[in-house]
Amino acid sequence: MTGTRQKPILVLALGNDILGDDGIAFYAARALQEEFSAVADFTETAEAGLALMEMLEGYEYALLMDSVMTGQCDPGTIVEFQTEQFKKVVAPSPHYAGLPEVLELSARLGLDMPTGMRILAMEVADPFTLREELTPDVARALPNLVDAARAILEEWRASVPCTNTH
Amino acid sequence: MDEPVKEVFNEARERAAQDYKNQRRITIDPITRLEGHGKIDVFLDQKGEVERAYFQVPELRGFEIFSIGRPAEDMPQITSRICGVCPTAHHMAATKALDDLYKIKPTSAGRKIRELMYNLFMLEDHALHVYVLGGPDFIVGPDAPAAMRNILGVIEKTGLDVGKKVIGMRRRIREAMAYLGGKVVHPVLGLPGGVAKGVKADDLPMFKELAKDGLEFAQFTLQVFSDIVLKNEKYVELVTSENYTHRTNYMGVVDDQNRVNFYDGMIRVVGPEGNEVVKFKAQDYLKHISEHVEPWSYVKFTYLEDIGWKGFTDGPDSGVISVAPLARLNAADAMATPLAQEAREEYFKILGGRPVHYTLANHYARVVEMIQAAETIQELVNDPEITSTDLRNIPTETPTVGIGVVEAPRGTLYHHYETDERGVLTKANLIVATQNNSARMAMSVEKSAKGLIHEGKVDEGLLNMVEMAFRAYDPCHACATHSLPGQMPLRARVYDAEKNIIQEFQK
């Protein structure tokens, strides 16, 4: 199924919106969906590892958004990761550390993966309690994540020639 | 707290703290290659021998509160969202609980479509474990560097073509599941009394082609396992070693001929000698399954009420139960399909007869189950009824209580709902597969740690071999808590008696 998709950009929101803060990426993605629907597909998923490879395949650009608990920042802080960072952290888990393997595996299998990839995450307070609300700090910071994601998507949109935006 | 109670409590706490200070402590945190994250604490005594080892997991909170007040029909969607790993198992257990809640049987075609979906899921999920999660321990080797014990290492060892085969088959199975379920991760297939979507006659060739290739793939996987694991004396020795052996009870769903069934049947428990201890309907689960609580874990350890909780011990007097592939093969008298039955016979021949008590044999049993799943898919797609449009019976009964059970890849999964007369939930209880395995898993971690770590000598390879003990169960904890990849490196720490870190592993 390698080949190009109809739209050049994928916004991949990772998490779970019935687990409190774990849904932060979903909310951010939903806030941007209408604005960028002409150039981007939006996918929400609780999966990771190999499933991500299948989702990413065929896009030119991919923006991944997720929640994270580093314990080193205040809840609501936006953290950007570089794929190179992951490569240094060799933790063999398809669930938690699947990205480096996915990228490496895709390269070895000759899959058509995005050439541009950005990873935005927000430090969260509670991704363990079943509920549909965000904790207050994270809820307050949601617009910041939306803005950060928007800036990236605008940049990519500008670089895509002759896109029919309507 | 009463004063005398407080005093005893404080004294006990002080003693525990003192004991802790006197021990050197190794922490493996978090466990790699698992869904959810947990950690293992290994406590050494002054001589460097393992005194205790604990397997701890994070908690998933608030499920019951979250469910109450919602329409029961939402449960197949809600519960599937608890878990990004085995959503189909939750979806199907919930759907079956709704059948029971509304006292309605699915149509024959509806049931077959559910079974088709479920066996596709079992095949895909088991394949993922064999090649990606647990298999690397064997295919790449338990002593191999951590960086190699993953899918990349597997491909290096088995060749790029195998990688392409695994990825390609997985994709096709998931596409078929998405066809039936609307989407792979949170399917919307199951309804009380049937299913929402059937198979169109025009699309049947795609399913038939997939079924044929799926069976070939399962057989190929058995060959890979046989060539790499069974033909390697060292591996077989490891699988059958005492460090990875527990003689517990085994639980699994069986059909009316006591054959393995993933989707439906009675729950059968056999003892350590292979004798049937009890066989019961899902609706009677509370009479036979109880939960034990330990202060050091969030997990409630299930045990067999018929025997009772006798602690973390094995043998015929222990109530500890085990689920998942190893247990399912032990609990049943046969597989339900011919090639899987052949594979099962070979399995018991190689491992010394039924029941098999070797935890690491879970990997082998999983491959045998892949064959049954693939053969069942083939049977179903060749059944003329699979394209029937008689998909659903409409419920008419007033709901009260509904209980559903399936065999998730990781073991027996119970869903139990109670509602008011409008079908609005007043109570929900889930016993997930990993919970049914949790006591035995805790025993496995401790036993392997005690067997492998001596005189304070701990290295990465040894720690991995301790992890292997529970990885074989394919456990799934704190379903669906998700964190960004890359932030969960494996850490192992060794502390001296004064709690200073004297050794640290970081993978």
Side-chain angles (χ1 to χ4, degrees):
Chain A
M1 208 172 67
T2 53
T4 51
R5 308 262 185 167
Q6 282 186 333
K7 295 175 187 173
I9 301 170
L10 173 69
V11 177
L12 187 50
L14 309 176
N16 190 329
D17 58 352
I18 63 169
L19 275 175
D21 289 347
D22 200 29
I24 183 71
F26 287 16
Y27 301 122
R30 286 170 200 169
L32 293 160
Q33 189 154 6
E34 203 182 319
E35 197 177 337
F36 292 94
S37 64
V39 287
D41 285 327
F42 286 75
T43 301
E44 297 177 359
T45 184
E47 289 194 293
L50 291 184
L52 296 192
M53 184 167 79
E54 289 153 14
M55 292 171 198
L56 290 164
E57 198 182 340
Y59 288 99
E60 223 174 309
Y61 299 100
L63 170 62
L64 272 70
M65 289 193 283
D66 201 352
S67 61
V68 69
M69 283 185 90
T70 63
Q72 290 162 9
C73 324
D74 293 329
T77 309
I78 294 171
V79 188
E80 175 155 13
F81 294 97
Q82 309 299 326
T83 51
E84 291 75 25
Q85 270 178 288
F86 290 127
K87 285 179 184 163
K88 286 178 197 155
V89 183
V90 186
S93 162
H95 194 77
Y96 285 110
L99 206 54
E101 287 159 21
V102 160
L103 298 176
E104 183 69 36
L105 182 63
S106 314
R108 289 200 207 170
L109 295 177
L111 302 183
D112 176 20
M113 296 298 273
T115 47
M117 192 180 294
R118 299 278 293 268
I119 304 158
L120 289 180
M122 181 172 282
E123 183 82 14
V124 296
D126 181 9
F128 302 114
T129 304
L130 275 156
R131 62 176 172 196
E132 289 170 300
E133 299 86 35
L134 298 169
T135 55
D137 289 342
V138 171
R140 266 193 297 277
L142 173 59
N144 302 341
L145 181 59
V146 174
D147 288 345
R150 180 182 288 114
I152 292 168
L153 293 175
E154 277 173 350
E155 193 184 312
W156 284 342
R157 182 165 60 184
S159 74
V160 179
C162 308
T163 303
N164 181 3
T165 53
H166 295 288
Chain B
M1 206 183 280
D2 294 340
E3 209 46 47
V5 178
K6 204 171 176 180
E7 214 169 278
V8 174
F9 177 82
N10 287 337
E11 194 187 318
R13 190 173 57 182
E14 190 50 43
R15 203 183 309 147
Q18 199 52 49
D19 285 350
Y20 177 83
K21 281 181 194 164
N22 292 338
Q23 283 164 335
R24 294 197 295 152
R25 184 166 180 251
I26 304 164
T27 306
I28 306 176
D29 177 22
I31 295 149
T32 52
R33 262 179 304 175
L34 284 181
E35 313 306 342
H37 58 282
K39 60 176 181 173
I40 296 176
D41 289 332
V42 182
F43 293 87
L44 302 183
D45 62 18
Q46 297 288 1
K47 291 179 187 161
E49 299 297 305
V50 175
E51 194 163 285
R52 285 302 310 263
Y54 295 103
F55 180 33
Q56 290 175 287
V57 298
E59 182 192 22
L60 185 65
R61 298 184 292 257
F63 176 72
E64 185 157 339
I65 294 165
F66 185 81
S67 309
I68 288 172
R70 292 173 189 270
E73 283 109 279
D74 287 358
M75 293 309 273
Q77 277 68 54
I78 290 176
T79 55
S80 73
R81 285 163 69 192
I82 294 174
C83 183
V85 181
C86 47
T88 311
H90 282 294
H91 181 75
M92 212 53 92
T95 301
K96 288 181 69 190
L98 290 187
D99 289 345
D100 190 43
L101 181 71
Y102 288 98
K103 306 296 170 229
I104 185 93
K105 276 191 174 178
T107 61
S108 176
R111 178 187 164 115
K112 283 173 185 169
I113 286 161
R114 286 188 193 173
E115 286 188 80
L116 175 60
M117 175 72 158
Y118 204 68
N119 280 280
L120 284 166
F121 162 63
M122 288 296 281
L123 180 59
E124 188 261 336
D125 198 278
H126 273 4
L128 179 71
H129 193 279
V130 168
Y131 288 101
V132 182
L133 298 173
D137 286 333
F138 288 108
I139 295 174
V140 185
D143 300 327
M148 285 306 295
R149 280 196 318 272
N150 53 36
I151 181 73
L152 297 171
V154 169
I155 285 173
E156 195 132 299
K157 184 125 180 203
T158 56
L160 206 55
D161 285 347
V162 173
K164 286 181 179 165
K165 201 187 264 255
V166 173
I167 302 299
M169 180 50 59
R170 180 184 146 84
R171 173 179 294 147
R172 286 173 63 200
I173 295 173
R174 285 165 64 87
E175 280 167 4
M177 288 170 67
Y179 174 99
L180 293 170
K183 40 192 174 172
V184 182
V185 182
H186 306 312
V188 287
L189 178 74
L191 299 169
V195 291
K197 190 181 177 188
V199 175
K200 286 185 188 156
D202 288 352
D203 298 324
L204 195 56
M206 179 272 279
F207 280 94
K208 286 193 175 178
E209 187 68 20
L210 174 62
K212 186 175 131 297
D213 295 347
L215 182 54
E216 260 177 43
F217 174 68
Q219 289 176 293
F220 165 78
T221 304
L222 182 64
Q223 193 60 50
V224 168
F225 194 84
S226 173
D227 290 347
I228 293 179
V229 181
L230 302 179
K231 288 183 185 157
N232 184 328
E233 271 179 38
K234 212 175 118 198
Y235 286 176
V236 175
E237 208 174 285
L238 182 70
V239 170
T240 56
S241 66
E242 188 56 30
N243 286 340
Y244 296 106
T245 303
H246 297 286
R247 292 161 185 84
T248 60
N249 302 290
Y250 299 97
M251 179 163 71
V253 171
V254 292
D255 67 12
D256 53 7
Q257 295 172 60
N258 284 338
R259 301 178 305 182
V260 170
N261 195 304
F262 305 130
Y263 170 76
D264 198 27
M266 299 272 280
I267 296 125
R268 190 185 198 208
V269 180
V270 300
E273 307 300 325
N275 53 306
E276 182 178 301
V277 178
V278 64
K279 193 172 164 183
F280 57 93
K281 290 188 296 185
Q283 287 74 11
D284 292 333
Y285 86 101
L286 284 174
K287 290 183 198 158
H288 303 285
I289 304 296
S290 293
E291 296 170 322
H292 169 80
V293 176
E294 285 281 319
W296 50 268
S297 177
Y298 292 119
V299 167
K300 290 176 187 164
F301 297 89
T302 55
Y303 64 94
L304 199 60
E305 177 69 31
D306 307 72
I307 296 178
W309 177 256
K310 309 281 172 65
F312 293 93
T313 58
D314 61 0
D317 299 329
S318 166
V320 170
I321 44 179
S322 175
V323 295
L326 172 80
R328 278 193 288 258
L329 264 59
N330 282 339
D333 291 342
M335 301 306 285
T337 55
L339 293 174
Q341 175 60 16
E342 260 178 47
R344 176 189 186 270
E345 282 164 18
E346 183 74 6
Y347 163 89
F348 282 124
K349 201 170 119 193
I350 289 174
L351 297 174
R354 172 173 172 255
V356 167
H357 298 297
Y358 311 126
T359 301
L360 297 180
N362 261 303
H363 296 292
Y364 189 179
R366 194 169 286 121
V367 179
V368 176
E369 288 194 334
M370 279 175 72
I371 295 178
Q372 172 157 324
E375 284 182 288
T376 307
I377 293 166
Q378 202 160 49
E379 277 173 17
L380 288 163
V381 299
N382 285 300
D383 185 325
E385 206 177 22
I386 204 73
T387 51
S388 163
T389 52
D390 182 21
L391 299 178
R392 190 185 179 197
N393 289 320
I394 303 297
T396 54
E397 294 283 316
T398 305
T400 51
V401 178
I403 295 168
V405 67
V406 292
E407 281 296 330
R410 293 150 192 85
T412 320
L413 166 67
Y414 298 90
H415 278 216
H416 173 172
Y417 313 139
E418 294 182 14
T419 70
D420 63 16
E421 70 287 353
R422 298 167 302 159
V424 172
L425 281 157
T426 54
K427 183 185 167 182
N429 186 38
L430 265 60
I431 295 184
V432 301
T434 297
Q435 201 185 333
N436 282 318
N437 253 341
S438 54
R440 181 172 160 129
M441 221 178 308
M443 287 159 62
S444 292
V445 166
E446 178 154 294
K447 191 169 183 178
S448 58
K450 283 183 173 171
L452 293 162
I453 297 173
H454 296 291
E455 296 173 4
K457 283 180 195 152
V458 186
D459 61 31
E460 236 179 77
L462 276 176
L463 290 176
N464 181 52
M465 283 168 80
V466 173
E467 286 183 75
M468 278 171 65
F470 61 79
R471 201 146 54 215
Y473 298 95
D474 190 10
C476 184
H477 292 292
C479 295
T481 51
H482 195 104
S483 274
L484 194 66
Q487 294 310 296
M488 291 288 176
L490 178 71
R491 275 197 308 270
R493 286 175 180 163
V494 184
Y495 296 82
D496 66 13
E498 276 72 48
K499 286 171 69 180
N500 300 313
I501 296 172
I502 55 167
Q503 211 177 347
E504 184 166 9
F505 300 96
Q506 179 114 10
K507 297 183 194 174

